[in-house]
Amino acid sequence: MSPFKFHSVFAVYLLYTDFIYPGPNSSFHDFVITCKRCGEHLAARIQTMPDDWIIETCPFCLETRRYLSQEIFRGRISHKYAALSVRRGA
């Protein structure tokens, strides 16, 4: 079997298994930050875009950092954070 054909079969298999067994749902959030230490995408606990910096603590590495408004974006949270939110009931 040629390497190209093997990669094509593997890609189709991954698409099929993702359709049958979807992973955790990580939807878009209006205010997302990226932890500066571990790199996880976390939902910022704010209602509107701040003019100044905010302080957030990462639940994984327990690092408390300041984030400027330029570091807050609209995007997806990490699957790890979504699973933690579901376990906490948030």
Side-chain angles (χ1 to χ4, degrees):
M1 184 181 276
S2 71
F4 179 73
K5 190 171 184 179
F6 175 74
H7 289 298
S8 327
V9 170
F10 187 67
V12 170
Y13 173 74
L14 285 179
L15 289 173
Y16 177 73
T17 55
D18 189 44
F19 177 71
I20 300 296
Y21 307 106
N25 184 13
S26 63
S27 59
F28 267 81
H29 287 270
D30 289 331
F31 303 108
V32 177
I33 56 174
T34 301
C35 178
K36 294 178 180 179
R37 185 173 184 195
C38 66
E40 295 289 333
H41 293 289
L42 313 170
R45 294 172 289 172
I46 55 176
Q47 299 297 321
T48 60
M49 185 60 85
D51 294 332
D52 207 7
W53 46 268
I54 62 169
I55 298 174
E56 289 286 335
T57 302
C58 177
F60 303 111
C61 63
L62 302 177
E63 184 81 20
T64 301
R65 298 259 182 148
R66 287 191 239 178
Y67 297 92
L68 295 172
S69 59
Q70 294 88 355
E71 298 171 316
I72 302 169
F73 59 95
R74 178 175 165 80
R76 294 185 187 271
I77 59 173
S78 65
H79 292 298
K80 191 174 173 183
Y81 185 74
L84 180 68
S85 298
V86 168
R87 274 187 269 143
R88 287 185 177 173

